Amino acid sequence: MNDRVSKEMLAGIVHSAIKRGATDAEAIAVESTEFSVEVRLGEVEKLQEAASRGIGLRVLHAGRQASASTSDLSREAIEELVSTAIEMARLTSVDDAANLPARDDLAKEVPELELSDPEIMALTTERRIEMARSCEDAARSFDVRITNSEGGACSTVISRIALVSSAGFEGDYQSTVCGLVAAPIASEGDRMQVGYWGDRQRLLKSLDAPDVIGREAARRAIRKLGGRKAATTEVPIVFESSAAEDLLGDFFEAVDGTSIFRRASFLVGQLGEQIAAPNLTIIDDGLMKSALGSRPFDGEGLASRRTVVVENGILKSYLLNTYTASKLGLRSTGNASRGLTGAPIVGPSNFFIVPGVYSPDEIIGSVKNGFYVTEMIGFGFNAVTGDYSRGASGWWIEDGKLSFPVEEVTIAGNLRDMLHGIELIGNDLRFRSRIAAPTIKVNRMMVSGN
Amino acid sequence: MIDPIRFFTDKFNITDAQIESLLGTALSKGGAYADLYFEYTVLNSLGLEEQIIKSANRAVRQGVGVRVVSGERTGFAYCDEIEIDSIRKAALTAAHIADSPVEVGPVSVTPGRPELDLYPVSQSLHETSLEWKIERLQRVDKTARAVDPRIREVQTSIADEYKIILIATSEGVLIGDVQPLARMRVMCIADDDGNLQSGVSGGGGRVGVEFYTDKMIDHYANEASRQAIVQLEATDAPAGTMEVVLGPGWPGILLHEAVGHGLEADFNRKGTSAFAGLVGQRVASELCTVVDEGTIPNRRGSLNIDDEGNQTSRTVLIENGILRGYLQDKLSSRLTGAKLTGNGRRESYRHMPMPRMTNTYMLGGESTPEEIIRSVKRGLYAVQFGGGQVDITNGKFVFSASEAYLIEDGKITAPVKGATLIGNGPNSLTKVTAVANDLALDEGVGTCGKDGQSVPVGVGMPTIRIAEMTVGGTK
């Protein structure tokens, strides 16, 4: 990789934008080095390695906002970046809420969150191949019914983000991620099922071992074999941890400040109200050590923090950046998230459901007749109304026991009712991405099948 | 018209001789095939919300991807600098997928041009003034609000992309293309005393400014408003297996999910698709003929050449119900000996090509839409959809209706809330019992995701009747 983009270079860009008439400016640089290895049926299938960089600039011009970005860092390209952004900002409308954060709100220091792992940076190609291969091997040797494979993959990303704004912020940090996945295929007769499982962590020592991931992937493929439709009926639903994460991801949209100021969420006007069962607490925490969603400051330079979103079922806070906070007359929660282009959006840091005391087995055991959902597909959530309808597969539960595998059904309800209907929360919280949830049980939803 | 070869020579001083030498470097460890993909893309977007122009963004994306193939192995590297030393470094990195170093000199290439010219535009949106775009967005806002006083908010955006690519391969090809792309989107929120509903519309393609006429703009605005207003009256969607009629156009997303992905050659070569080994067998009723056609002028999924430099084509996937073939990229075609179909696509120079759809649609039949509706005693009539998804290994797919109605005794009756429909790819089309004569392609809004890569695609379908499908409502 060439020399890294310095904070001085970004400060120069900000300065240049101000000199040309911008009221405020904010520049970001994202640099990353990626390696990935894919192994299939024991053989290396793909090797990828690349370094990339880009710079983004957001300018405000008397209340008008515009942004530009480039992956060309030549002097001329940077010149053009600044002039393009300023030119565009002359033509957008005055938007009173579009401002950089107040100087007093900016992060004063960059806390050490241990986001970068020298061990990940030191991984050799041979070692990555070895990890991907043993992950796939463990999956393939798990059971004779594992007959094929989409492969095993190991990828690492080392990235650095630098942010400089005319509000008086300058900061940068480096982070690493290592991901390992396996996707074995189980078959029985002419029917096949893929089991997909993996782990992603900032520190190599936190990553599940390759054989643990491989075996879990194989177990997930095999347990789908022989699936059939269930009858159409309304029953209690148990969401396995990974499916509950999916659900929580949809919930995020409903507390995202952007949906709130647009009045495009069923949770508009519900602050302080009981929106869920009293056992539910949801937190967004940007300060957890070495977690995937942690960052010392957000996309506008505000200090990361821990925000209680739902406490004992009561909606305590939306998640906000400077813009949405201003629209709503609230304070930012430090959830600005930005890429190279565009104004910051609102994004989760580490967004999770606080675990309960029940083991997944106890939760399944509490259901007389219901559906254990292990996977969902599709995009059937409407944040405006809360209406929820997704494709699902998993196991039917009879008398507290897993009875037969189910596929090709949908589950439907309204998230408003589902939140109130959360009966039990599991103790099995594990962070595999920025959004994490334990097993949860919802009192009833419509299962549509035969 | 820009000549892509000249463009990269003039702007970045990259000569044919350098390209030939870079290909030699890429093969220097014994690779069997190598290609270079040069890209320079300008992306613009402009957004209106709360009746003001809130966002204006411009991004320039440029770089080179280098791929080296050795047997079933692929090495890939890219760089952001279009500059000889950086590209050579990437070529050496990718070269290491092979491990028997050989002496390779420059690989000679012959400059060529695409035979197709599917998207001549008088003026591309990327070089159109912001003022023109602002006026278009303001017209959307005004028209949409005029539909009904209950339309409380309108969000609309216009996004365009102007991509110049150049592909050089160790088979001696040097070919480029200039690919414009534009999309307009309108979202309306209706508010009837606290009952909030939304509607979405829009369209575009590989088109220029002439596409976005007043008539087209008004159509998008009216359509998004109409959907939001209709939803105000929607009752709970039904649950269970029932007869389903899909309207023309965008509901063709059914084909994209139910069969399209499952027919991409990579999954079939590996035997991981539910359609693997079914060529020549019946996978749909004889009323169904499904094609993937990258050569339709100005469509969002169309391309003069694919991202591996091959001409796009019309591929019959299913003919009168019989599975005919797969969508190929170069790697799958080399490994299986199948004929290229021009479906090797990639999101950008930072991504490896793989088999992808272009415009996927079902040919029209002989029924009329009215006949089809009249024939249904109790069922669902779905006309607008959000996204869909498929598990290609077990074939299960979903797509989510955003505008649907009950059919009762041959008549379209009450609108129902959005619901997900689920089916099984290899047999869902066997249940198609009627195909109408009203084939329509979608309006040009589709984006397909696979393996983390997004590419623009089109879909299309006439009105069809499916004997049974599972509808994910609540009632």
Side-chain angles (χ1 to χ4, degrees):
Chain A
M1 199 194 271
N2 299 23
D3 293 343
R4 59 190 216 170
V5 181
S6 65
K7 284 186 279 184
E8 288 69 35
M9 182 177 174
L10 295 183
I13 293 171
V14 167
H15 181 71
S16 158
I18 300 285
K19 218 170 63 189
R20 298 221 214 151
T23 324
D24 267 308
E26 179 188 79
I28 188 169
V30 179
E31 301 172 293
S32 66
T33 310
E34 294 173 59
F35 298 91
S36 72
V37 174
E38 286 179 46
V39 169
R40 181 167 176 268
L41 303 179
E43 299 292 326
V44 173
E45 195 176 65
K46 286 180 196 163
L47 273 182
Q48 176 170 342
E49 175 178 344
S52 63
R53 308 186 296 177
I55 288 185
L57 173 66
R58 172 163 73 118
V59 302
L60 286 143
H61 183 83
R64 302 162 198 271
Q65 180 169 257
S67 86
S69 71
T70 179
S71 67
D72 178 359
L73 305 194
S74 65
R75 187 183 296 271
E76 309 82 74
I78 299 289
E79 278 288 303
E80 198 186 315
L81 175 82
V82 176
S83 55
T84 304
I86 293 204
E87 225 169 89
M88 290 194 301
R90 288 183 205 282
L91 289 169
T92 55
S93 315
V94 173
D95 183 349
D96 295 333
N99 290 298
L100 294 188
R103 194 169 281 261
D104 288 349
D105 292 340
L106 295 167
K108 302 292 184 294
E109 56 194 39
V110 174
E112 179 46 57
L113 297 173
E114 293 163 33
L115 303 179
S116 184
D117 182 8
E119 268 197 85
I120 288 178
M121 291 188 265
L123 280 177
T124 59
T125 301
E126 289 68 33
R127 180 79 187 105
R128 281 188 286 262
I129 292 173
E130 170 55 31
M131 286 165 68
R133 189 176 273 147
S134 44
C135 190
E136 196 205 27
D137 283 351
R140 290 176 65 208
S141 56
F142 181 79
D143 191 294
V144 291
R145 288 170 292 175
I146 300 293
T147 54
N148 198 347
S149 169
E150 285 267 21
C154 176
S155 63
T156 57
V157 183
I158 304 161
S159 55
R160 178 175 162 268
I161 288 174
L163 183 74
V164 172
S165 87
S166 61
F169 183 79
E170 273 195 29
D172 66 342
Y173 64 94
Q174 182 172 289
S175 60
T176 53
V177 176
C178 183
L180 191 57
V181 298
I185 290 174
S187 64
E188 205 167 54
D190 61 351
R191 296 176 68 188
M192 297 189 292
Q193 297 288 352
V194 65
Y196 182 91
W197 194 245
D199 194 16
R200 284 176 75 225
Q201 298 294 338
R202 292 212 178 277
L203 307 182
L204 195 60
K205 66 173 188 219
S206 313
L207 194 74
D208 281 345
D211 58 325
V212 171
I213 294 170
R215 283 197 302 267
E216 175 62 12
R219 190 184 73 87
R220 298 180 79 88
I222 284 172
R223 72 174 175 181
K224 286 163 76 178
L225 287 171
R228 54 180 156 104
K229 280 190 176 189
T232 300
T233 175
E234 201 177 29
V235 287
I237 306 285
V238 176
F239 291 91
E240 189 186 34
S241 157
S242 56
E245 277 165 20
D246 214 328
L247 189 63
L248 185 62
D250 286 330
F251 175 79
F252 176 82
E253 192 188 343
V255 292
D256 174 339
T258 312
S259 310
I260 303 300
F261 94 75
R262 288 177 172 167
R263 304 186 63 80
S265 163
F266 69 97
L267 292 175
V268 168
Q270 299 288 302
L271 276 185
E273 301 292 325
Q274 187 84 38
I275 61 141
N279 56 1
L280 185 72
T281 295
I282 299 175
I283 288 171
D284 182 79
D285 187 352
L287 293 169
M288 292 167 56
K289 282 265 156 64
S290 307
L292 283 167
S294 298
R295 64 276 190 289
F297 52 85
D298 78 352
E300 297 175 299
L302 294 188
S304 285
R305 68 201 73 188
R306 179 177 185 274
T307 304
V308 177
V309 178
V310 175
E311 187 172 36
N312 301 326
I314 295 171
L315 182 62
K316 290 292 199 185
S317 179
Y318 298 123
L319 292 172
L320 307 164
N321 57 11
T322 298
Y323 184 81
T324 56
S326 168
K327 293 294 285 185
L328 293 165
L330 297 166
R331 287 177 70 86
S332 172
T333 55
N335 283 89
S337 163
R338 68 167 293 186
L340 286 179
T341 316
I345 57 168
V346 175
S349 59
N350 299 294
F351 188 61
F352 62 98
I353 293 176
V354 173
V357 299
Y358 302 96
S359 71
D361 284 346
E362 284 175 308
I363 295 179
I364 292 165
S366 75
V367 177
K368 195 163 161 37
N369 179 40
F371 183 23
Y372 180 51
V373 175
T374 58
E375 279 181 39
M376 290 196 285
I377 59 170
F379 308 93
F381 172 57
N382 181 340
V384 178
T385 58
D387 289 333
Y388 200 86
S389 171
R390 306 276 306 269
S393 59
W395 279 71
W396 204 257
I397 309 172
E398 279 169 3
D399 294 326
K401 299 243 167 10
L402 298 182
S403 168
F404 60 90
V406 173
E407 63 179 14
E408 206 182 327
V409 300
T410 60
I411 54 171
N414 187 288
L415 192 51
R416 197 191 308 253
D417 304 327
M418 290 157 66
L419 289 167
H420 283 291
I422 293 178
E423 289 183 341
L424 298 173
I425 296 180
N427 58 9
D428 54 336
L429 182 71
R430 165 103 161 91
F431 284 86
R432 282 187 185 79
S433 75
R434 294 191 296 169
I435 294 178
T439 300
I440 58 173
K441 176 187 172 190
V442 171
N443 64 346
R444 34 197 342 106
M445 287 180 75
M446 183 59 93
V447 175
S448 181
N450 284 324
Chain B
M1 177 71 182
I2 290 178
D3 173 353
I5 301 177
R6 284 275 309 272
F7 173 83
F8 285 99
T9 312
D10 293 352
K11 191 169 168 72
F12 301 100
N13 300 313
I14 296 291
T15 64
D16 289 9
Q18 285 175 335
I19 287 173
E20 294 177 338
S21 144
L22 288 167
L23 285 168
T25 304
L27 294 181
S28 63
K29 303 291 173 192
Y33 169 84
D35 58 19
L36 306 171
Y37 177 91
F38 294 78
E39 176 189 349
Y40 178 85
T41 302
V42 179
L43 304 116
N44 293 298
S45 71
L46 189 72
L48 177 149
E49 183 180 345
E50 297 185 301
Q51 301 193 281
I52 61 173
I53 299 296
K54 258 195 199 179
S55 65
N57 306 313
R58 183 181 185 88
V60 177
R61 184 174 79 195
Q62 63 167 55
V64 183
V66 185
R67 173 171 67 152
V68 178
V69 179
S70 171
E72 290 198 42
R73 300 155 69 108
T74 304
F76 181 69
Y78 61 82
C79 58
D80 300 319
E81 294 89 17
I82 303 185
E83 177 267 324
I84 186 78
D85 291 340
S86 302
I87 307 170
R88 191 171 306 281
K89 201 175 146 212
L92 259 180
T93 304
H96 276 99
I97 193 69
D99 51 9
S100 42
V102 285
E103 282 298 317
V104 185
V107 178
S108 70
V109 293
T110 311
R113 318 175 58 101
E115 285 173 29
L116 298 170
D117 183 16
L118 299 172
Y119 21 85
V121 296
S122 58
Q123 191 186 4
S124 159
L125 265 71
H126 88 290
E127 52 190 7
T128 303
S129 72
L130 271 184
E131 286 88 346
W132 179 84
K133 292 178 183 172
I134 289 170
E135 191 277 325
R136 296 288 81 185
L137 296 183
Q138 286 170 337
R139 184 179 177 101
V140 168
D141 183 74
K142 191 160 163 260
T143 311
R145 285 174 191 274
V147 169
D148 193 295
R150 290 171 294 178
I151 296 299
R152 209 209 47 231
E153 174 57 4
V154 179
Q155 288 163 32
T156 178
S157 63
I158 191 159
D160 58 88
E161 182 179 306
Y162 186 75
K163 188 189 252 188
I164 305 172
I165 60 168
L166 179 64
I167 298 154
T169 79
S170 62
E171 290 165 352
V173 173
L174 179 67
I175 195 166
D177 195 20
V178 179
Q179 302 166 341
L181 186 68
R183 178 185 168 176
M184 192 154 194
R185 182 176 190 275
V186 185
M187 204 267 274
C188 290
I189 294 186
D191 183 350
D192 188 10
D193 204 16
N195 173 12
L196 297 177
Q197 298 293 342
S198 57
V200 179
S201 178
R206 301 201 180 276
V207 296
V209 293
E210 65 280 0
F211 184 80
Y212 293 103
T213 57
D214 287 355
K215 193 176 158 203
M216 190 62 92
I217 298 282
D218 293 352
H219 160 67
Y220 297 150
N222 289 325
E223 179 58 21
S225 287
R226 186 194 62 75
Q227 286 174 29
I229 297 294
V230 164
Q231 284 309 113
L232 290 172
E233 308 295 326
T235 59
D236 289 342
T241 298
M242 64 196 66
E243 203 164 13
V244 171
V245 177
L246 298 175
W250 181 242
I253 186 173
L254 162 83
L255 306 171
H256 181 100
E257 305 298 351
V259 298
H261 278 297
L263 298 180
E264 289 164 344
D266 46 354
F267 301 127
N268 290 284
R269 167 169 63 83
K270 298 173 185 175
T272 60
S273 164
F275 284 96
L278 295 184
V279 169
Q281 296 193 32
R282 174 164 298 283
V283 295
S285 85
E286 60 186 18
L287 300 170
C288 299
T289 294
V290 179
V291 301
D292 181 85
E293 186 170 354
T295 56
I296 314 173
N298 300 109
R299 301 305 303 188
R300 187 172 162 85
S302 297
L303 292 168
N304 292 327
I305 50 170
D306 71 1
D307 295 322
E308 299 182 308
N310 299 302
Q311 186 167 319
T312 51
S313 65
R314 179 178 192 272
T315 306
V316 177
L317 299 174
I318 296 171
E319 187 177 21
N320 300 326
I322 307 297
L323 181 61
R324 289 297 178 208
Y326 302 124
L327 298 171
Q328 302 287 342
D329 68 349
K330 202 158 211 160
L331 182 63
S332 290
S333 151
R334 279 187 63 220
L335 293 172
T336 63
K339 189 167 149 269
L340 282 168
T341 57
N343 288 85
R345 303 185 63 188
R346 62 204 296 174
E347 179 177 320
S348 78
Y349 67 92
R350 294 184 179 183
H351 301 89
M352 273 193 250
M354 55 184 161
R356 302 297 293 264
M357 284 172 261
T358 58
N359 305 295
T360 313
Y361 64 93
M362 182 187 287
L363 302 193
E366 299 189 340
S367 308
T368 66
E370 297 76 21
E371 258 163 46
I372 290 180
I373 300 288
R374 264 204 309 274
S375 71
V376 177
K377 187 147 177 51
R378 179 180 175 270
L380 188 79
Y381 176 53
V383 291
Q384 288 297 332
F385 282 86
Q389 199 179 343
V390 60
D391 177 332
I392 54 109
T393 304
N394 66 20
K396 304 298 178 274
F397 68 94
V398 295
F399 57 136
S400 297
S402 55
E403 181 183 356
Y405 302 82
L406 293 179
I407 306 176
E408 293 166 294
D409 294 325
K411 293 196 178 62
I412 296 169
T413 59
V416 295
K417 288 181 181 174
T420 289
L421 276 61
I422 190 163
N424 179 33
N427 80 8
S428 61
L429 293 188
T430 61
K431 296 175 181 168
V432 172
T433 50
V435 175
N437 54 10
D438 59 344
L439 168 65
L441 299 179
D442 77 283
E443 302 216 47
V445 296
T447 297
C448 167
K450 174 177 171 184
D451 240 1
Q453 293 196 39
S454 296
V455 296
V457 294
V459 297
M461 200 163 70
T463 298
I464 66 169
R465 184 180 66 209
I466 301 174
E468 54 170 34
M469 204 163 182
T470 301
V471 177
T474 54
K475 212 169 65 178

